[in-house]
Amino acid sequence: MIKSVGKFIGGMLAVGLLSATLFAQTAADTRYDNQIQTTVAQKLAQKNQFQQVKSSVEDAIVTLTGTVDLYQRKLDAAKLARKTSNVQGVRNLITVAGPNVPDAQLEQKLARKLTYVRVGYDNTFDYFALGVKDGVVTVEGQDRTGVGRDEALADIANMPGVKDVVSNISIEPTSIFDDGIRLRTARAIYRDSVLSKYAIDPARTIRIIVVNGHVTLYGSVDSTMDKQIAGMRANQVFGAFSVDNKLVVDKDGSPGL
């Protein structure tokens, strides 16, 4: 009985200490609210692109409301607030009120833009696929280093008409083994006399994705024969465990970039 009472009292003391700690943290956060509000408001007022953005602060959490004309500026406003001293978090409720662009037209513009991400570097080893619904852009794909992903997202965020962005781009695992397969696959495909033409135009590049030894081919080709040859060349690469040939036979374009 005495032990039970002791445990009960100990438990109550622990709850009391936790409550006191949380109260102290909340009180400390609240103490900075006016300072944070003043600083954030001043920062926003100094930039023309944030003239329609308002801020409020509660328990060191900044809430942003209002409108901007580009999605990138919505991100920039949150970044500005987040860098303010003593801010514990940011709720970004800003609306992108820029031009309304038809979904099909916006998707076409973005597809053209993303085609040239990392051209001349490692664009052969990334893949992006777009979807647009009511101005909300969903982008999926895979990237080897993360640099291509960041450039692609920046291009999307700065495109007029984009209201929001959902990114499902994954980064391929770091692997010397996979890097070797990527290079051997690229050589096998682009040194083929039939397929070498796809190395010339970045809009028609055959994308080579390698994850843990498994190869996936993306992009569009001119004929079924070209698709079959690309798959055959990839299957001949030393070290490749499997090849998933997702090339699309379509002279007018590709669903992926």
Side-chain angles (χ1 to χ4, degrees), residues 58 167 230:
E58 183 176 358
S167 173

Side-chain angles (χ1 to χ4, degrees), residues 104-117 128-132 137 156 159 202-203 207 254-257:
Q105 180 181 339
L106 182 58
E107 184 172 339
Q108 185 178 32
K109 287 182 177 181
L110 288 170
R112 189 179 305 114
K113 189 79 172 177
L114 264 61
T115 293
Y116 298 96
V117 168
F128 306 119
L130 290 165
V132 181
V137 179
I156 294 171
M159 179 68 71
R207 308 286 176 146
S254 167
L257 309 166

